[in-house]
Amino acid sequence: MIITAQDEIGGVYNLETTVTNLNALSTHEGDIVIVETDAIILDDIDTTNGSINITADGQITATNVQASGVNQDVTLTTTAGGMILTGVLADDDVTATADVGDIAIDGVGAAGTVTITATTGSINEVAAGDAGADIMGDAVVLTAQDEIGGAAAFETEVTTISADSTLAGDIVFTELDIVGDGINLLSLDTNNGNITVVTEGGTVEAGTTTVVTDVRSDTGVAGAHDITITANSGDMTLGYLQSDDDVTLEATLGSITEINTYAVPGDAAVDIVGDLLTITAQDEIGSSTGELDIETTVANLNASSTTSGDIVITETDAIKLDDVDTANGAITIVAGGQITATAVDSTTDSDDNDISLTSTGSGIQAIHINAGTLGDVTLDAQGGAITQDAAVAVDVIADVFTASAAGGIDLDTTVNSVTATASAAGTIILDETDAITLTSVTTTDGSITVDSAGAMTVTLVTAGGDTGSNDDVFLTTTVGDIIQGGDITAANDTVTLTSAGDITDTTDNSSDISAADLIINAPAGSVGASGTNNQLDTNVDTITAAVKSDTYILEKDAVGLTSVVTTAGLVDVEAGGTITTTTVTANGGYAVNLNATAGDILDTAGGLITGTAKSSLRASGIVGTTINPVDVDIDGDLWVWAGLEQNGVSVILDGTVNSSAQTERVEIFEPSPPGLVILNNHLMGGGNYGSGSTGGSILSRGYGETMAVKAVLLSYISIIDDEFLNGPAVIIDGSQVGINIIPGGLFITPARFQPENYYIIRSR
């Protein structure tokens, strides 16, 4: 049927038809209103200035339907049979509704809104593979019981789109965006299906992006359906996406950020809900400005910035970082639950390209995190420990590494420096592949173990707890020195230093190592060095040291030298309290020098000081006691001094002194001690020994008893009173004043003193 009128056609009263094909034209001004009793083919329906409204009880095939004029619409309705829309245009809105049946489209356009509804069917393109735009309009609203583009994807040229599959079906379409004004995915929703959207032609300017306002695949069945949105040109901004399975977002030539990027700071509401989130952009993903981070509730994350840009994600719960990387940008991820960092990489080595992972409610498992040699890594586990996967591979690569945990920290690292804090009970264990600086490594209640395959510089290491319950510190280098540049503390516990090289101290004489016990192993190196502020500064109760070369220790207080042994170096220990020795040995032709500046030098039962060169013992108190003399074995001169006396004795020694003199003796530093100096029950000298006369004199009997005796010894003349001679055989060593022969008449037998008393005559 062909109908032509100047004005309306059925515009006042509906025109009912039962025809197969219809051509209708209003040439001037008027609506076209047709009610068809059956199926109908609309070959050519046009108005010059009017709307078109056609209702059919069968299939509508709209080949060419066009409503021209301001605010003029096209409305097509079928109660059965569905629709085929290959050419429907309106200067305002297009509305097509099929109560029963599917709708196929291949050319529907409106200056206003296009609304297409397949109440019990689907909406698809007429023929898949057509690259032209199938729907054009300012706004598009698509509703179907089944798929929307799922069987034959369609192309759009629209500004905003809403699509709803109410029962079961996929939503699939491509936005061509030929004019480059972007698209707003205002509302895409499948009750049981996937959503796949590709957008083309957008730019990176505000208002020309792919705006994802609300996209949902919410079947309620985990692992059922996915959401995939790809912007091949321009940026993508996010409002809300929800999937029962995976979400894949890609901005091939732009960025992906929150929906308010170009206006006001974003909100803290969740942007993406799903299982696996895969998000890829040429530029940034999220932003650290305001609330422009992308908030997620997902189980797994793959995120990649392919050219230049940061990644900023905030997760509400636990998350596994399966593969997160930037070509040239920083990475910041915050999660409310456990973070498992399987692969996190900032691939361009730059100081700007840092990695920061924070769990506000749980711990962090670091399997592979790489910020290069210039970028920094920060791990903050506010509700748990920081752990690894037990593999030998490196877990963290960075310049500056900062780790905080409400529990322990256990990692393999390749970093330049580390600051690590265990704020709750837990140990810190770090295995470093190279040199490292321990800027600050502290536990609240737990031990600290750091191994490095390069030099270790210590600034601050503190094992907290102060309970003596294994809150120990173990620092080990397999290559290189341990450089003490700060403080190591293990109150009431043990510090163990094991160095493949030297153990040096670069600080002043403050107490650098504070602990109950200090254990030192340096089988190929030395400990400390000579000179002011070069010694290893300690404040410990005991020291056990096995060292190859020279060992210099400056102890703040009293100390027990449990076992201090060098294979080819001297032992030099100065303490601000009493030094108690068990085993002190300097092998290889080196000295033992002990100096108690505010205490005694004592030894334990069975203790022995062994020096293989000229050695010295100095104490502000006494050296040894009459009950327990200090045992020595010195191959060389032994110089002694003491500032106090006990029972008349200042220094008392047992053992061997192979001195340079013709007879065994010890040398005494001036000023002379106040009490006697005794070796093997032989008097060496002391404060009451010698009157200061030119030739020297003997005034002391030994062992604390002093007699006023006058004597002058010349080359072969002796004038000694009867009381002095009233004793057993006496050996008098006068080598220091040139007396080499003692007259035989001096050896008198009555017994009063210990046998074979040994006296040394020396000049002042």
Side-chain angles (χ1 to χ4, degrees):
M1 182 172 68
I2 300 173
I3 303 174
T4 302
Q6 173 182 279
D7 300 320
E8 72 273 5
I9 299 174
V12 177
Y13 300 102
N14 295 341
L15 181 63
E16 292 85 7
T17 64
T18 302
V19 298
T20 302
N21 296 71
L22 177 64
N23 290 352
L25 173 61
S26 171
T27 61
H28 180 59
E29 183 173 357
D31 299 337
I32 297 176
V33 181
I34 302 292
V35 176
E36 168 62 36
T37 60
D38 206 341
I40 190 170
I41 299 173
L42 306 178
D43 291 327
D44 190 0
I45 312 295
D46 298 288
T47 64
T48 302
N49 186 15
S51 296
I52 299 171
N53 189 331
I54 297 176
T55 302
D57 289 335
Q59 184 182 72
I60 295 177
T61 302
T63 304
N64 184 1
V65 178
Q66 182 171 354
S68 301
V70 177
N71 298 324
Q72 304 305 318
D73 306 327
V74 172
T75 303
L76 305 178
T77 305
T78 178
T79 59
M83 294 184 184
I84 300 174
L85 309 177
T86 58
V88 180
L89 301 173
D91 283 348
D92 195 7
D93 301 333
V94 171
T95 302
T97 304
D99 293 337
V100 177
D102 302 330
I103 298 177
I105 54 176
D106 191 16
V108 179
T113 301
V114 175
T115 302
I116 301 175
T117 304
T119 306
T120 60
S122 62
I123 302 172
N124 290 285
E125 188 178 23
V126 170
D130 178 7
D134 301 305
I135 303 176
M136 297 157 285
D138 180 32
V140 172
V141 179
L142 306 176
T143 305
Q145 172 184 272
D146 303 321
E147 77 274 4
I148 299 175
F154 54 85
E155 290 76 38
T156 65
E157 179 68 42
V158 302
T159 303
T160 67
I161 186 169
S162 299
D164 186 4
S165 171
T166 60
L167 182 62
D170 299 340
I171 297 176
V172 183
F173 66 89
T174 297
E175 165 61 25
L176 300 178
D177 200 14
I178 296 171
V179 298
D181 60 353
I183 184 173
N184 185 345
L185 306 181
L186 189 63
S187 176
L188 305 183
D189 190 356
T190 64
N191 193 52
N192 188 4
N194 301 310
I195 297 175
T196 303
V197 178
V198 177
T199 67
E200 310 277 0
T203 70
V204 295
E205 300 298 326
T208 64
T209 63
T210 297
V211 180
V212 183
T213 301
D214 195 315
V215 178
R216 308 180 188 222
S217 176
D218 51 0
T219 65
V221 179
H225 300 290
D226 304 330
I227 295 174
T228 302
I229 301 174
T230 303
N232 284 327
S233 180
D235 296 336
M236 183 186 300
T237 61
L238 307 179
Y240 183 76
L241 298 94
Q242 178 179 330
S243 171
D244 293 316
D245 197 9
D246 301 338
V247 175
T248 301
L249 306 176
E250 181 175 359
T252 308
L253 298 177
S255 64
I256 300 177
T257 56
E258 266 202 346
I259 204 165
N260 291 319
T261 297
Y262 300 104
V264 298
D267 57 52
V270 171
D271 303 310
I272 303 172
V273 177
D275 182 23
L276 168 63
L277 171 60
T278 301
I279 186 166
T280 306
Q282 173 183 270
D283 303 320
E284 70 270 13
I285 298 173
S287 172
S288 58
T289 302
E291 281 289 347
L292 295 178
D293 52 320
I294 295 175
E295 289 87 10
T296 65
T297 300
V298 299
N300 297 70
L301 175 65
N302 291 340
S304 180
S305 169
T306 60
T307 301
S308 179
D310 300 338
I311 295 177
V312 184
I313 303 287
T314 298
E315 164 64 30
T316 61
D317 208 337
I319 190 170
K320 295 179 180 179
L321 308 180
D322 294 338
D323 187 2
V324 178
D325 60 84
T326 58
N328 188 7
I331 298 172
T332 302
I333 295 176
V334 178
Q338 177 78 15
I339 295 177
T340 303
T342 303
V344 181
D345 294 271
S346 176
T347 56
T348 295
D349 200 1
S350 169
D351 189 43
D352 295 328
N353 295 340
D354 301 332
I355 296 174
S356 175
L357 307 182
T358 300
S359 171
T360 60
S362 190
I364 297 174
Q365 183 182 25
I367 299 173
H368 174 80
I369 302 171
N370 184 2
T373 60
L374 299 177
D376 303 335
V377 170
T378 299
L379 304 181
D380 186 2
Q382 298 175 11
I386 297 176
T387 59
Q388 54 166 302
D389 61 350
V392 295
V394 172
D395 306 311
V396 177
I397 301 171
D399 176 19
V400 177
F401 174 43
T402 303
S404 301
I409 300 171
D410 183 1
L411 295 170
D412 302 322
T413 64
T414 300
V415 301
N416 291 325
S417 67
V418 61
T419 297
T421 304
S423 60
T427 63
I428 294 178
I429 301 173
L430 300 175
D431 293 320
E432 166 62 31
T433 63
D434 208 335
I436 189 172
T437 296
L438 307 184
T439 305
S440 176
V441 180
T442 62
T443 62
T444 299
D445 185 4
S447 63
I448 296 172
T449 302
V450 181
D451 298 335
S452 70
M456 183 185 299
T457 301
V458 180
T459 302
L460 178 65
V461 175
T462 302
D466 194 18
T467 61
S469 57
N470 301 317
D471 295 329
D472 302 323
V473 173
F474 303 90
L475 305 182
T476 302
T477 64
T478 57
V479 176
D481 302 337
I482 294 178
I483 303 164
Q484 181 63 16
D487 297 327
I488 302 174
T489 303
N492 296 321
D493 287 290
T494 301
V495 170
T496 301
L497 305 180
T498 301
S499 174
D502 300 330
I503 299 175
T504 63
D505 191 325
T506 61
T507 65
D508 58 21
N509 61 359
S510 60
S511 299
D512 296 333
I513 301 176
S514 300
D517 305 303
L518 172 60
I519 300 173
I520 297 174
N521 298 294
S526 60
V527 175
S530 62
T532 303
N533 295 333
N534 292 327
Q535 309 100 317
L536 183 64
D537 302 314
T538 66
N539 182 12
V540 299
D541 297 335
T542 70
I543 297 175
T544 299
V547 184
K548 176 184 179 182
S549 303
D550 295 346
T551 298
Y552 291 89
I553 296 174
L554 178 60
E555 163 61 31
K556 178 181 179 181
D557 210 336
V559 66
L561 305 182
T562 306
S563 176
V564 178
V565 179
T566 63
T567 55
L570 65 80
V571 175
D572 187 298
V573 178
E574 180 178 321
T578 294
I579 298 175
T580 303
T581 65
T582 300
T583 300
V584 179
T585 303
N587 290 304
Y590 290 91
V592 172
N593 298 316
L594 305 182
N595 184 6
T597 61
D600 307 326
I601 296 178
L602 308 173
D603 73 355
T604 59
L608 181 64
I609 298 173
T610 302
T612 52
K614 175 183 175 181
S615 300
S616 65
L617 305 177
R618 298 176 64 98
S620 66
I622 60 173
V623 178
T625 67
T626 55
I627 298 175
N628 184 26
V630 172
D631 294 289
V632 297
D633 183 0
I634 308 299
D635 189 7
D637 292 342
L638 175 61
W639 286 78
V640 299
W641 184 85
L644 299 176
E645 57 88 15
Q646 186 180 85
N647 297 324
V649 177
S650 290
V651 179
I652 182 166
L653 310 170
D654 278 345
T656 303
V657 178
N658 293 321
S659 69
S660 58
Q662 293 182 354
T663 56
E664 185 178 53
R665 67 163 182 256
V666 295
E667 310 296 336
I668 303 173
F669 291 107
E670 293 187 354
S672 183
L676 300 179
V677 177
I678 299 170
L679 171 66
N680 295 328
N681 289 330
H682 296 161
L683 177 64
M684 301 290 105
N688 293 318
Y689 179 69
S691 65
S693 60
T694 302
S697 64
I698 298 176
L699 302 178
S700 176
R701 302 301 180 105
Y703 296 96
E705 182 173 348
T706 302
M707 304 298 295
V709 178
K710 296 179 180 179
V712 176
L713 300 180
L714 300 175
S715 179
Y716 288 99
I717 302 173
S718 298
I719 303 174
I720 302 176
D721 65 8
D722 292 338
E723 187 174 0
F724 176 79
L725 298 175
N726 191 21
V730 177
I731 299 173
I732 300 177
D733 181 352
S735 61
Q736 290 200 16
V737 293
I739 301 175
N740 297 316
I741 300 173
I742 303 300
L746 291 176
F747 299 97
I748 301 175
T749 52
R752 177 178 175 185
F753 303 102
Q754 295 287 334
E756 297 188 359
N757 288 287
Y758 190 172
Y759 298 90
I760 299 175
I761 303 172
R762 61 178 92 237
S763 61
R764 291 282 183 180

